[in-house]
Structures are given as structure tokens and as C-alpha cells.
Amino acid sequence: MNWISTFNLAGLSFATIMAMGGSVQVTLATESVAPSVPTGLPLGIMCWNERTKNWAVGYLATVEKDGTATYMPAGGQLSAKVSAKGMVESPKNRPAIFDCYGKTIEELRAIGRIIDFQHSP
């Protein structure tokens, strides 16, 4: 008999704990605010590889908290970073074989190498 009353008490405590945990989760979810969507970043960047004589397109993959963006090709083998100031940074672990490195987004836009998002009304 004592075991049954303990079990019921444990069941009640578990239900109470679950209710408290659920309300905490709801509170945390409603109090967090998503950061604003980054603007001014292009959907893609087109670069020329002088060595292979090929064009490559890197697509926007991630944007870090500081505004640094990572662009990746469809195959996902290599990536390029664009600083928060808009400069395409040279890679640190391989030769910079694409002609986009060292240029800004605005310089690339001026020569037609940027693929922008198409906003619809």
C-alpha cells in the first residue's frame, strides 16, 4: 500500500515537473528575438578560374553573427568568405585561383559578377 501511494505521489511530481518545464520552454521561445535578416548580400558570386579556364558560382550558404558570409558552389567542395565590409577574402589553406578574391561585392557587381535576390512585390 505504501508503495502505491509513493508511486502516485511520484506520478504527481513528474506531472508537475513536466508542466513547469513546458511553461519554461514557452517563455524562453517567446522571449528570444531573431536577428534581422541580412541585406545587401548577393545570392551568388561568379568567379573565373584562370588555371582551369572555368567559371564557378558560389551561392550564399551562411551568414555569421558578425556579418561574414560564406559562399559555396553547388558541389560544396570549396568555400569563399566575404567579410562584413564586403571584401572577398583570399583562402588561408589553398592558393587563391579565382579572380574574385581581393575584390569587393560592389566591384564584382560593377563588372556583372553578382547574382542578386529577385524580390517580388
Side-chain angles (χ1 to χ4, degrees):
M1 188 75 159
N2 195 8
W3 180 79
I4 294 174
S5 65
T6 305
F7 179 75
N8 288 338
L9 181 60
L12 178 61
S13 296
F14 180 73
T16 305
I17 291 169
M18 289 301 291
M20 287 180 1
S23 66
V24 170
Q25 290 174 350
V26 170
T27 302
L28 291 176
T30 56
E31 288 180 4
S32 66
V33 177
S36 61
V37 176
T39 58
L41 291 172
L43 172 63
I45 301 172
M46 296 174 53
C47 302
W48 177 251
N49 183 330
E50 186 60 40
R51 189 180 72 198
T52 62
K53 307 292 186 207
N54 288 326
W55 288 98
V57 178
Y59 298 97
L60 182 61
T62 61
V63 180
E64 297 173 22
K65 186 170 34 175
D66 69 354
T68 301
T70 302
Y71 286 82
M72 305 232 1
Q77 295 171 343
L78 300 174
S79 65
K81 294 268 188 188
V82 176
S83 72
K85 295 181 180 180
M87 177 69 69
V88 181
E89 299 173 350
S90 296
K92 295 174 179 61
N93 62 348
R94 64 184 185 277
I97 57 175
F98 290 100
D99 67 347
C100 293
Y101 294 120
K103 292 184 174 72
T104 65
I105 294 295
E106 291 311 313
E107 289 172 324
L108 293 170
R109 183 172 277 119
I111 59 174
R113 302 283 196 84
I114 294 298
I115 302 168
D116 281 313
F117 286 98
Q118 299 295 318
H119 299 282
S120 58

